[in-house]
Amino acid sequence: MPPWDFDSPHKQDLTKRRSFNEGFALIEAAHDATRRLYCDVLRFWRRCSLASCKRHRRCCGDARECLMRGLIFVPQSQRFRAQQLVIDGGPRRRTPATHAEWYVRRSNFKSVATWPLG
C-alpha cells in the first residue's frame, strides 16, 4: 500500500482551523474563568449561600450569577483594582490557560460581566 493512501486508518486530520462552535466554546470558557477570578478577587464567596464556596474560599457555583448578584455591592474604584488583580492571576496567581483567556482578562470589566449567555 502506498504511503499516500488517504483511506488508511492512520489518516491524519491536518485542518488547523476550528469551527465556530469550538471557537465559541473556547471564548465562553475564557469568560467563565475570568468571572471566577473576579468572584475570587472580590471575595463574593463570603456572602454566598453555597457551603462549598465558603469551605473552599472561592467560587464553586455559577460564576455568572455570583458576579451579577454581588456587583451592586462593589464601588467603581474597587472594580478597577479588581481588574488589575485579575490580570495578575487573582489571589492564587494563576496563569491564563489559553490566549483567549489572556485576552479576556485584559478586556474591561463591563464586557466580562455582560458577556451574552451561551
Side-chain angles (χ1 to χ4, degrees):
M1 180 163 28
W4 57 84
D5 185 21
F6 295 112
D7 294 330
S8 70
H10 303 292
K11 178 181 154 187
Q12 295 179 355
D13 185 19
L14 299 176
T15 57
K16 296 186 180 180
R17 296 178 187 234
R18 56 176 84 91
S19 68
F20 175 79
N21 292 333
E22 291 171 345
F24 186 78
L26 183 71
I27 296 295
E28 183 65 32
H31 276 86
D32 192 44
T34 306
R35 278 189 220 106
R36 285 195 189 281
L37 278 176
Y38 271 109
C39 290
D40 291 347
V41 165
L42 296 171
R43 297 180 182 177
F44 289 155
W45 52 267
R46 288 184 173 186
R47 64 177 80 174
C48 187
S49 61
L50 294 175
S52 61
C53 294
K54 291 178 183 176
R55 185 179 329 116
H56 297 292
R57 294 183 181 185
R58 65 179 183 88
C59 183
C60 295
D62 187 13
R64 180 187 317 250
E65 290 178 12
C66 186
L67 191 61
M68 289 298 142
R69 196 172 40 240
L71 199 57
I72 59 172
F73 301 111
V74 180
Q76 190 70 25
S77 62
Q78 195 173 4
R79 290 180 192 180
F80 289 129
R81 176 73 179 131
Q83 184 176 7
Q84 186 58 43
L85 289 173
V86 165
I87 290 173
D88 292 340
R92 294 181 176 97
R93 302 288 188 202
R94 294 183 184 153
T95 58
T98 61
H99 182 71
E101 186 178 337
W102 180 89
Y103 183 77
V104 171
R105 281 187 188 184
R106 281 153 179 81
S107 60
N108 60 1
F109 181 78
K110 186 177 179 182
S111 68
V112 173
T114 59
W115 174 254
L117 294 171

